[in-house]
Short mmCIF file of all heavy atoms in Angstrom, two decimals:
data_model
loop_
_atom_site.label_atom_id
_atom_site.label_comp_id
_atom_site.label_asym_id
_atom_site.label_seq_id
_atom_site.Cartn_x
_atom_site.Cartn_y
_atom_site.Cartn_z
N MET U 70 -20.99 143.16 84.56
CA MET U 70 -22.20 142.56 85.09
C MET U 70 -22.88 141.74 84.05
O MET U 70 -23.48 140.66 84.43
CB MET U 70 -23.16 143.67 85.62
CG MET U 70 -24.30 143.10 86.42
SD MET U 70 -25.25 144.37 87.17
CE MET U 70 -26.65 144.29 86.15
N ILE U 71 -22.86 142.15 82.82
CA ILE U 71 -23.64 141.38 81.78
C ILE U 71 -22.74 140.51 80.91
O ILE U 71 -23.18 139.83 80.04
CB ILE U 71 -24.40 142.35 80.86
CG1 ILE U 71 -23.47 143.41 80.15
CG2 ILE U 71 -25.50 143.12 81.65
CD1 ILE U 71 -24.17 144.27 79.18
N MET U 72 -21.39 140.46 81.31
CA MET U 72 -20.48 139.76 80.54
C MET U 72 -20.63 138.20 80.72
O MET U 72 -20.68 137.77 81.88
CB MET U 72 -19.00 140.11 80.95
CG MET U 72 -17.92 139.35 80.25
SD MET U 72 -16.29 139.91 80.79
CE MET U 72 -16.28 139.52 82.51
N PRO U 73 -20.71 137.48 79.67
CA PRO U 73 -20.80 135.96 79.78
C PRO U 73 -19.41 135.42 80.19
O PRO U 73 -18.40 135.87 79.67
CB PRO U 73 -21.29 135.51 78.49
CG PRO U 73 -20.77 136.57 77.50
CD PRO U 73 -20.85 137.85 78.26
N ILE U 74 -19.45 134.44 81.02
CA ILE U 74 -18.15 133.80 81.42
C ILE U 74 -18.01 132.56 80.61
O ILE U 74 -18.87 131.68 80.61
CB ILE U 74 -18.21 133.53 82.93
CG1 ILE U 74 -18.33 134.75 83.75
CG2 ILE U 74 -16.89 132.80 83.33
CD1 ILE U 74 -18.53 134.62 85.14
N GLU U 75 -16.85 132.46 79.97
CA GLU U 75 -16.62 131.27 79.09
C GLU U 75 -15.91 130.19 79.87
O GLU U 75 -15.28 130.47 80.86
CB GLU U 75 -15.81 131.71 77.85
CG GLU U 75 -16.50 132.72 77.07
CD GLU U 75 -15.62 133.19 75.84
OE1 GLU U 75 -14.56 132.61 75.65
OE2 GLU U 75 -16.05 134.12 75.17
N GLY U 76 -16.01 129.01 79.31
CA GLY U 76 -15.32 127.89 79.95
C GLY U 76 -16.22 126.96 80.74
O GLY U 76 -17.46 127.25 80.88
N ARG U 77 -15.73 125.94 81.31
CA ARG U 77 -16.49 125.04 82.09
C ARG U 77 -16.65 125.44 83.53
O ARG U 77 -15.70 126.14 84.05
CB ARG U 77 -15.83 123.68 82.08
CG ARG U 77 -15.90 123.04 80.63
CD ARG U 77 -15.24 121.63 80.68
NE ARG U 77 -15.79 120.87 81.78
CZ ARG U 77 -15.83 119.62 81.77
NH1 ARG U 77 -15.31 118.91 80.83
NH2 ARG U 77 -16.40 118.92 82.76
N ASN U 78 -17.70 125.04 84.09
CA ASN U 78 -17.91 125.38 85.50
C ASN U 78 -17.17 124.35 86.37
O ASN U 78 -17.11 123.19 85.99
CB ASN U 78 -19.35 125.32 85.90
CG ASN U 78 -20.16 126.45 85.25
OD1 ASN U 78 -19.55 127.48 84.85
ND2 ASN U 78 -21.41 126.30 85.12
N PRO U 79 -16.61 124.73 87.52
CA PRO U 79 -15.94 123.73 88.37
C PRO U 79 -16.96 122.82 89.01
O PRO U 79 -18.19 123.06 88.99
CB PRO U 79 -15.27 124.58 89.43
CG PRO U 79 -15.98 125.87 89.44
CD PRO U 79 -16.57 126.10 88.02
N ARG U 80 -16.48 121.65 89.45
CA ARG U 80 -17.39 120.72 90.07
C ARG U 80 -17.99 121.29 91.37
O ARG U 80 -17.39 122.13 92.01
CB ARG U 80 -16.59 119.44 90.38
CG ARG U 80 -16.17 118.64 89.20
CD ARG U 80 -15.39 117.47 89.60
NE ARG U 80 -16.18 116.58 90.48
CZ ARG U 80 -15.67 115.51 91.07
NH1 ARG U 80 -14.45 115.15 90.87
NH2 ARG U 80 -16.37 114.76 91.83
N GLY U 81 -19.09 120.75 91.66
CA GLY U 81 -19.80 121.10 92.93
C GLY U 81 -20.77 122.25 92.76
O GLY U 81 -21.10 122.69 91.61
N HIS U 82 -21.17 122.71 93.88
CA HIS U 82 -22.16 123.83 93.84
C HIS U 82 -21.55 125.09 93.41
O HIS U 82 -20.42 125.49 93.82
CB HIS U 82 -22.72 124.00 95.26
CG HIS U 82 -23.92 124.87 95.39
ND1 HIS U 82 -23.84 126.21 95.51
CD2 HIS U 82 -25.25 124.53 95.35
CE1 HIS U 82 -25.02 126.72 95.58
NE2 HIS U 82 -25.97 125.72 95.45
#
Side-chain angles (χ1 to χ4, degrees):
M70 193 174 105
I71 60 176
M72 176 178 66
I74 300 173
E75 297 177 7
R77 292 182 51 155
N78 292 338
R80 289 179 58 185
H82 193 273

